[in-house]
Amino acid sequence: MPKTGLHNPLKNVQRYVMYGEVCRKASELMFQEDVAAHFTKLIQRLVPKHTVQAFGEVKLVRAFLANFSGDNVRFLAQAIAYPGDHDGQNPTGYRWPLGAVAVVSPFNFPLEIPSMQMMGALFMGNKVIVKPNSKTTVIMEEFIRMLHYCGMPLSDCDLIHCAGDTYEKLYSMCPIRMTQFTGSTDIAEKLAVLTHGRVRLEDAGFDWKIMGPDTPSMNIDYLAWQSDQDAYSLSGQKCSAQSFMMVHKNLAKTDFYEKLKVQAAKRNIADLSIGPVLSVKNAEFEKHKEFCMGLEGAKILHGGKPLTGHKIPSCYGAWEPSAYLIPLKYFQDTKLFPQLIQEVFGPVQIVTEYDDSELDIVLDLLERIPLHLTAAVVSNDAVFRHNVLAHTVNGTTYAGYRARTTGAPQNHWFGPAGDIRAAGIGTPESIKLVWSVHREIVYDDQPEPKEWTLPKPT
Amino acid sequence: MPKTGLHNPLKNVQRYVMYGEVCRKASELMFQEDVAAHFTKLIQRLVPKHTVQAFGEVKLVRAFLANFSGDNVRFLAQAIAYPGDHDGQNPTGYRWPLGAVAVVSPFNFPLEIPSMQMMGALFMGNKVIVKPNSKTTVIMEEFIRMLHYCGMPLSDCDLIHCAGDTYEKLYSMCPIRMTQFTGSTDIAEKLAVLTHGRVRLEDAGFDWKIMGPDTPSMNIDYLAWQSDQDAYSLSGQKCSAQSFMMVHKNLAKTDFYEKLKVQAAKRNIADLSIGPVLSVKNAEFEKHKEFCMGLEGAKILHGGKPLTGHKIPSCYGAWEPSAYLIPLKYFQDTKLFPQLIQEVFGPVQIVTEYDDSELDIVLDLLERIPLHLTAAVVSNDAVFRHNVLAHTVNGTTYAGYRARTTGAPQNHWFGPAGDIRAAGIGTPESIKLVWSVHREIVYDDQPEPKEWTLPKPT
Amino acid sequence: MPKTGLHNPLKNVQRYVMYGEVCRKASELMFQEDVAAHFTKLIQRLVPKHTVQAFGEVKLVRAFLANFSGDNVRFLAQAIAYPGDHDGQNPTGYRWPLGAVAVVSPFNFPLEIPSMQMMGALFMGNKVIVKPNSKTTVIMEEFIRMLHYCGMPLSDCDLIHCAGDTYEKLYSMCPIRMTQFTGSTDIAEKLAVLTHGRVRLEDAGFDWKIMGPDTPSMNIDYLAWQSDQDAYSLSGQKCSAQSFMMVHKNLAKTDFYEKLKVQAAKRNIADLSIGPVLSVKNAEFEKHKEFCMGLEGAKILHGGKPLTGHKIPSCYGAWEPSAYLIPLKYFQDTKLFPQLIQEVFGPVQIVTEYDDSELDIVLDLLERIPLHLTAAVVSNDAVFRHNVLAHTVNGTTYAGYRARTTGAPQNHWFGPAGDIRAAGIGTPESIKLVWSVHREIVYDDQPEPKEWTLPKPT
Amino acid sequence: MPKTGLHNPLKNVQRYVMYGEVCRKASELMFQEDVAAHFTKLIQRLVPKHTVQAFGEVKLVRAFLANFSGDNVRFLAQAIAYPGDHDGQNPTGYRWPLGAVAVVSPFNFPLEIPSMQMMGALFMGNKVIVKPNSKTTVIMEEFIRMLHYCGMPLSDCDLIHCAGDTYEKLYSMCPIRMTQFTGSTDIAEKLAVLTHGRVRLEDAGFDWKIMGPDTPSMNIDYLAWQSDQDAYSLSGQKCSAQSFMMVHKNLAKTDFYEKLKVQAAKRNIADLSIGPVLSVKNAEFEKHKEFCMGLEGAKILHGGKPLTGHKIPSCYGAWEPSAYLIPLKYFQDTKLFPQLIQEVFGPVQIVTEYDDSELDIVLDLLERIPLHLTAAVVSNDAVFRHNVLAHTVNGTTYAGYRARTTGAPQNHWFGPAGDIRAAGIGTPESIKLVWSVHREIVYDDQPEPKEWTLPKPT
């Protein structure tokens, strides 16, 4: 596999158009009810999520494919050029592929994440190796077979069914020039060292939401519904899940907590609005709860107990949607802090309260959280909202009345910030950044000026 | 130093304008003859280069500063926004700073490289630590003092005078969120591991030029002049220096080599058109020559001897501008190859010859060179030129009659390609890429629709 | 109809997504064989063109629709924003619709031209009135019905079946804020005055091709084939048809003219590769030929006679593919010039010859042609090609070995230049320019600074 | 003057850099105190404005010149390119000049407007004729002389000192390919017809400000100060002056009107914070007042009288800063409406009041104002502000706490919207739009594919 890729702006450019056609056909297929249902069920068979959530992946992927139909793949390869220093000189900046690259992706969005990253890699001209989480490889197998049917050449993409350490071995043997990784921070850092930084990372989030001073004037039902969805959808196993909510005391005085509790209580195993947690066992949930409740003044807003009445094997977690209220002062304690902001990849959120005089404490706290994936600032108060946004760096931050932490659609950037290695997913901008690099070709094709005479060397 | 930087698109935005004003004033100063002469001489005192070359750095930096006068710094912070899914939703992509960052730069362009990278870092809102090569720190000290005079706040930038290993220690103590490094590949890789990939690298080049089949129709004087400049300016101590020239046999039959030899012979120590080599001693030049000459059929086109009649201390190299012609077949030998493409950071180039039937051998050879900084394709033959450009990845590639390998101006991208960690320098595009990351804020400030009713959780 | 349109970046933004979905569905339909065949035949029933040419319109329109599937309509509404002068100030440039607008289009591309312009108008938020050439209205009726089926609201677009003067009356009665016109220059200028310049125009072309000095080294078959297609496809009734060919004497010495003649002779009425001319009768062709042949030294390269063996009514033209060679000197005669460059909207081209010493005469001639639609520079000679391109302004200019004058695909800009009123068609760039205007909203939502005190008025 | 201009992206490209250097030098000069003072006084000698306002023009122009220093002029000529259909095909979109163009500008900003438009025209490669208002030509003469000193070629720009009808004659004689006009709507429309729409217009404004329901929570001093400045600076003779203010009844209940009156009363002839009105005499002011006061319920908030104690000749107006409160109902009367929204180009504004239930009446009223230059929405209420912005089209609209109607800086777009002929001024975006057009060159330089065989014609 040459480092000039399968195509680039000067090589095999008909492949850009070919991928536009593959996208168009694949999108058309995925808009067919039976195909959509097949992928939805396949996802549900491997990852226990509500039908709406599983179908959500399908909807997103087919919308993404529609976005790159027609000429839109080649539009990703837009070059820019400027006049040079003399006639004939024309510096031109291209987006160039990297050659052989890899996508390593997690279990929780087994279709959405690997398919969008893989397509991005292919669009820009790379040959790509895809390594989904090994529990979910079959979903990508189906997806890739569909693409073959739609005209994708058989050799453009290799699917690997293996565990993470096998990937490390593979990496040492193959000339993989870039690895895009989505998953835990630990593995992300390990990969960064292994590859000498040839990575684009979307790692874990300890995603927060701040309810502003003006929230009581909003529809509390709406706020409670959105918070419940953000915290507990897919049993909290989204990298964008709301792990931490800071509630202005104005709102705490309303029936917001009560409404949140009522909404969370509607979740049930039958429709998978709550369900098994794949990477955290009940003992860990229990331990985390005990740590929280050991802090004086802390209390359980709802949940805090194992789920009952189910057949979920004990190798998986099964925990009620839970919210633990912890006084703000503990977040100022630098020893407690790392534990308090430890992501629990399940249906658990930490809640704290603040008032106007404590906003600086809150901002300082946010400064110290080392993960920067999503965030939400629920406020239309111009001064408050601006203040929070100006002093934070989360990559995808929702702000306003309808702010949320989850929602990673195909039409806007999704990914962490605050890190030069950060990956984005799905949008034209993110595909160009993650899957290609700048190459400058300075065309300079006119002869030397007539008055030119041989100068002395310098 | 917060990770939101000294300024960002929502914080202290008046600082963008302030930096436009600092640039305007500093540019104005550097257009004054005495200030320009001061920097030119300062550079020459520390790095032995021709006045034209030293003044070249000054000219470039002041042009760069002029480029970011007025509102141009804030124009770097352009955000893009799209309509969302419902009225009031407005996803907006910003360029966000990283916080505290560092610039580590080499001796050969002691003003140009650190000043442009440092300014880029500051423009985007970062606080920056600058570590020039320790032999040349004083140049940046003078530059920074000038910026202070022009209104740059004293605490925006820290200059460090230390060796490389001290930087490593510093790095472990400071929360440096990104290190931009220009220099050797060895150190670049070391830094990449140390920082877990939080780097943007401009590393070494083994820069090549290919003289196309149509070159005999061009002005041979011009070609010889450009090749001499590319190979031997600054005694070959440019990262963009021509290290390897592939000459079409059509051209080899002309008086090209002879003209090259004559031009190289004009170089002299008096005006520093040739001079001391700071990192390669004569013994190494000698050893390299012997390796080359040990290959049957190889020959010296010119040079290949120590300089004479000078007082350069023996801790530095002092070598004639040298070109060694080596038959193409040796580059196909995978054992010899790594030695053949070993960059010698001095006035030495390797030459080989090819004909039409050997172009694929040449392209294969280029595919195997692991460094991708600059390149030149001297040809106006549409088919030939396209072929070479389509199958190579060098970051800054000049193509056409007047193609060259050196020349890293402020008006077009300069940097390596083929690597996701690659840095660019000086242009708006490169500054945005190297010194900022994407942050998406999704404004969503209108209430839920009137018809909204509380849904079930999913 | 309000001047804020049916939607804009702040109003009814869900309609951008709705149009993405309409495009996706309509594209899917037009990729179905029966639907494609239906439109192809419908076009052929009204405009006598070869099946390949009629199907070409269908292919182009469905590719265009694919291009704006998914989120691509809203991506057209990209806004850009910059930091203001103080925190909270945020100037943002939007693309805003015009309100009620109109598309007036010609007979020769009865599906392609009105459908792409109409969709562009709708994408940007306008309500649009479409007035196709009255002979071909039914094609757009079918197209609009299909869009209704795909979800386009019934009231977004009005189709008018009327003659041009009726449109003028309509214009005086309706608040049409912009008229996009494609057609003859006379009517374009009339509309410009009527509307006080509220137009975007794609008017007539006297499109030229120049065969460079290096053309003899190319495949003469290929050159002849391309020239025949450019000049005689759709019986020369393309606004982009090659009306004027300047042949370097190097090429004139080859068998190029002979091959052109042979290829033109293959055209026949049976497959409509030649056919009726809708707006030029044989008497006019005859008169034009006589004018040309009246110039001493002129000669017929091929054609110059009425078609025979057909049933084309005499109200239409029926003329052989014809090329008249006219000596260059006549183009320098300012009295003859306007007649020589009079577009004949049928299968007729003017040919002249030049040599190296006459290039300036050729460039001066091109400067004097007042129409600037398409052009072709068939040459890979870097100096020659650059020279011609630098001194001409045609809006869509093809340059190189495979240069042509026809070809107006959906993936690159097509339209005239040299005129501030010029329209483009089909690409994102052209849609934004033709169908929307810049609106700047400067958000400025933070309070005055704390240190602010009431100043005196100025 | 050829239609390819003095330079274009393929011709004389060194001139882009030359203009960057002219800008840099001219900016440097205008930052010198004596030069700045010279222009300030020159402006004041011809247009009676406060020193702060006259110096404001100088500050803006020198900042504008700084913005285009260095490489920024050539950056305006950015081209974009995309992969074509086969290797070697490369469609490239350029910004092309128009050739000879003209700038026609008004008296009120005698330096700012013509200088920025003229420079924009030159940057893009046009030759430009500048016709300032004949009372103020000398200012541009001085400016152009300064540019000559800075290196601008003498023949790039022609200054014409004449009246408007002379320009019309000139236009018929010269091949002026585009006229940029700033001034009254009447003349704009006349020019549009004369030139067949080859214009870019910045015509009159009837600029409005709406004080939102939340304004009482803001600093009333600040609101009054800003409104006074917007309405009465330069004695109301700004095209962006606040002519119409809609005050929410919440604000009307505060001391806002009283504070406005007090601030207006501070204006005096001595410092030219109020002064002669050049195009409206007192009789007209009187007549307008009488019309307003003839409406039952109307009242004078302040002013409404001639200035006293001055020597202003009676050929000029001299009128107190005046605000007339008129009940909202009159704006619904379609007969009265045109008179009510008649711009009085002097220190006079119309005020009306509304409450929440009357917002639709207000929006309907705004829809009916045919001029769309500037506007202000003083509100941070998310729903209110969004509503007003979504239903209006003014080209430069300020929104938020610190919204204003005046302020046309060099860093953001300024100009009307709602019209395809609309001009912008000063920013890179506006210069590209007003002073250049799209030209597409499709490079296509590789031979036909090897498998190509001669097809039949279609």
Side-chain angles (χ1 to χ4, degrees), chain D residues 12-304:
Chain D
N12 298 332
V13 299
Q14 73 287 353
R15 280 177 50 96
Y16 290 108
V17 185
M18 180 267 284
Y19 266 107
E21 184 62 4
V22 168
C23 285
R24 194 190 61 73
K25 285 182 181 160
S27 171
E28 186 177 327
L29 282 179
M30 289 182 79
F31 269 96
Q32 291 180 12
E33 263 187 46
D34 53 346
V35 177
H38 174 69
F39 278 107
T40 302
K41 280 178 203 155
L42 200 56
I43 292 169
Q44 283 188 300
R45 194 150 298 181
L46 299 164
V47 184
K49 53 172 83 176
H50 191 283
T51 306
V52 167
Q53 297 286 327
F55 182 46
E57 288 196 56
V58 177
K59 280 168 73 177
L60 185 148
V61 171
R62 70 192 189 186
F64 167 84
L65 291 167
N67 282 356
F68 293 98
S69 295
D71 297 305
N72 289 300
V73 174
R74 64 167 135 184
F75 289 165
L76 289 172
Q78 182 192 296
I80 54 173
Y82 296 99
D85 290 336
H86 45 255
D87 284 353
Q89 195 187 63
N90 189 28
T92 304
Y94 293 98
R95 296 309 305 174
W96 218 256
L98 288 152
V101 298
V103 168
V104 180
S105 63
F107 76 87
N108 55 347
F109 289 92
L111 175 63
E112 178 180 322
I113 292 175
S115 65
M116 288 206 292
Q117 291 292 12
M118 168 188 131
M119 295 310 283
L122 291 165
F123 292 165
M124 300 312 292
N126 303 285
K127 177 180 172 84
V128 65
I129 296 166
V130 181
K131 194 213 96 50
N133 181 288
S134 56
K135 289 171 193 140
T136 61
T137 311
V138 67
I139 297 172
M140 284 306 290
E141 186 182 335
E142 288 289 278
F143 183 73
I144 290 170
R145 285 185 193 280
M146 184 182 70
L147 295 180
H148 289 161
Y149 174 78
C150 294
M152 182 174 81
L154 294 179
S155 56
D156 283 16
C157 168
D158 292 331
L159 181 70
I160 296 188
H161 179 60
C162 70
D165 50 355
T166 309
Y167 178 75
E168 285 188 41
K169 277 177 216 154
L170 178 76
Y171 180 82
S172 353
M173 297 177 330
C174 291
I176 295 170
R177 300 181 69 82
M178 210 279 279
T179 303
Q180 191 286 318
F181 173 76
T182 309
S184 77
T185 302
D186 284 356
I187 296 177
E189 295 299 337
K190 211 171 150 187
L191 264 172
V193 172
L194 176 71
T195 64
H196 288 208
R198 288 183 190 87
V199 286
R200 292 281 190 207
L201 305 173
E202 190 214 315
D203 59 350
F206 182 75
D207 307 305
W208 48 264
K209 179 184 279 175
I210 188 162
M211 310 300 288
D214 54 327
T215 42
S217 70
M218 299 172 179
N219 182 342
I220 308 291
D221 278 343
Y222 185 85
L223 300 182
W225 167 77
Q226 185 63 70
S227 277
D228 172 78
Q229 287 290 111
D230 282 344
Y232 308 133
S233 261
L234 187 38
S235 304
Q237 297 168 98
K238 292 184 177 181
C239 48
S240 60
Q242 174 176 319
S243 296
F244 181 34
M245 178 162 58
M246 291 151 285
V247 178
H248 194 281
K249 285 178 184 165
N250 292 351
L251 182 64
K253 286 174 200 153
T254 70
D255 56 357
F256 174 63
Y257 291 147
E258 183 54 31
K259 288 189 160 171
L260 199 54
K261 183 177 183 172
V262 169
Q263 188 70 0
K266 295 179 192 164
R267 295 189 171 270
N268 60 82
I269 298 170
D271 67 2
L272 288 172
S273 53
I274 191 76
V277 177
L278 274 67
S279 58
V280 186
K281 295 181 189 173
N282 277 3
E284 291 169 72
F285 283 118
E286 192 66 49
K287 197 175 152 193
H288 175 255
K289 183 189 78 175
E290 280 166 20
F291 163 72
C292 291
M293 289 308 112
L295 302 169
E296 199 187 322
K299 68 175 177 184
I300 294 174
L301 290 176
H302 54 259

Side-chain angles (χ1 to χ4, degrees), chain B residues 21 24 27-28 31 63 66-72 74-75 87-88 382-383 385-386 410-411 427-428 445-447, chain D residues 21 24 27-28 31 63 66-72 74-75 87-88 382-383 385-386 410-411 427-428 445-447:
Chain B
E21 185 61 6
R24 193 191 61 74
S27 171
E28 187 178 326
F31 269 95
N67 282 355
F68 293 98
S69 295
D71 297 305
N72 289 301
R74 63 168 137 184
F75 289 166
D87 284 353
V383 176
R385 194 169 83 185
H386 187 275
Q410 77 295 333
N411 68 303
T427 60
D445 61 14
Q446 299 300 296
Chain D
E21 184 62 4
R24 194 190 61 73
S27 171
E28 186 177 327
F31 269 96
N67 282 356
F68 293 98
S69 295
D71 297 305
N72 289 300
R74 64 167 135 184
F75 289 165
D87 284 353
V383 176
R385 197 170 82 185
H386 188 273
Q410 77 295 335
N411 68 301
T427 60
D445 62 13
Q446 297 301 297

Side-chain angles (χ1 to χ4, degrees), chain A residues 40-283:
Chain A
T40 302
K41 281 180 203 152
L42 200 56
I43 291 169
Q44 283 188 300
R45 194 150 297 180
L46 299 164
V47 183
K49 52 171 84 175
H50 190 283
T51 306
V52 167
Q53 297 286 327
F55 182 46
E57 287 196 58
V58 177
K59 280 168 74 177
L60 186 149
V61 171
R62 70 192 189 185
F64 166 84
L65 291 167
N67 281 356
F68 294 98
S69 295
D71 297 304
N72 289 300
V73 174
R74 63 167 136 184
F75 289 166
L76 289 172
Q78 182 191 295
I80 54 173
Y82 296 99
D85 290 336
H86 45 256
D87 283 353
Q89 196 187 63
N90 189 28
T92 304
Y94 293 98
R95 297 309 305 174
W96 218 255
L98 287 152
V101 299
V103 168
V104 180
S105 62
F107 75 88
N108 53 349
F109 290 91
L111 175 63
E112 178 180 323
I113 292 175
S115 65
M116 288 206 292
Q117 291 293 12
M118 166 188 133
M119 295 310 283
L122 291 165
F123 292 165
M124 301 313 292
N126 303 286
K127 177 180 172 83
V128 64
I129 296 166
V130 181
K131 195 214 94 50
N133 180 288
S134 57
K135 288 171 194 140
T136 62
T137 311
V138 68
I139 298 172
M140 283 306 290
E141 185 182 337
E142 288 288 279
F143 182 74
I144 290 169
R145 283 185 194 281
M146 184 183 69
L147 294 179
H148 288 160
Y149 173 79
C150 295
M152 183 174 80
L154 295 178
S155 56
D156 283 15
C157 168
D158 292 331
L159 182 69
I160 296 189
H161 179 61
C162 70
D165 50 354
T166 308
Y167 178 75
E168 284 187 42
K169 277 177 215 154
L170 178 76
Y171 179 82
S172 354
M173 297 177 331
C174 290
I176 295 171
R177 300 180 70 82
M178 211 278 280
T179 303
Q180 191 285 320
F181 172 76
T182 308
S184 77
T185 302
D186 284 355
I187 296 178
E189 295 299 337
K190 212 170 150 187
L191 263 172
V193 172
L194 175 71
T195 64
H196 288 209
R198 288 185 191 87
V199 285
R200 291 280 189 207
L201 306 174
E202 190 214 314
D203 59 349
F206 182 74
D207 308 305
W208 49 263
K209 180 184 278 175
I210 187 162
M211 310 301 288
D214 55 327
T215 41
S217 70
M218 298 172 179
N219 183 340
I220 308 291
D221 278 342
Y222 185 86
L223 301 182
W225 167 76
Q226 185 64 70
S227 276
D228 172 78
Q229 288 289 111
D230 282 345
Y232 308 133
S233 261
L234 187 40
S235 305
Q237 296 167 100
K238 293 185 177 182
C239 49
S240 59
Q242 174 176 318
S243 296
F244 181 35
M245 179 162 59
M246 292 152 284
V247 178
H248 195 281
K249 285 177 184 165
N250 292 352
L251 183 65
K253 286 174 200 155
T254 70
D255 56 356
F256 174 63
Y257 291 148
E258 182 55 29
K259 288 189 160 172
L260 199 55
K261 183 178 185 173
V262 169
Q263 188 70 359
K266 296 178 190 165
R267 295 190 171 271
N268 60 81
I269 298 170
D271 67 3
L272 288 171
S273 53
I274 191 75
V277 177
L278 274 67
S279 59
V280 185
K281 295 181 189 174
N282 277 2

Side-chain angles (χ1 to χ4, degrees), chain B residues 348-403:
Chain B
V348 174
Q349 64 177 321
I350 298 295
V351 180
T352 195
E353 295 174 358
Y354 71 101
D355 62 22
D356 291 350
S357 71
E358 290 164 325
L359 183 58
D360 285 345
I361 297 174
V362 165
L363 292 177
D364 171 64
L365 180 173
L366 296 178
E367 171 70 21
R368 288 182 287 124
I369 296 179
L371 301 173
H372 312 117
L373 193 51
T374 74
V377 186
V378 185
S379 175
N380 275 349
D381 177 319
V383 176
F384 173 85
R385 194 169 83 185
H386 187 275
N387 201 2
V388 177
L389 292 173
H391 292 93
T392 53
V393 308
N394 295 53
T396 302
T397 307
Y398 295 84
Y401 191 123
R402 297 174 76 171

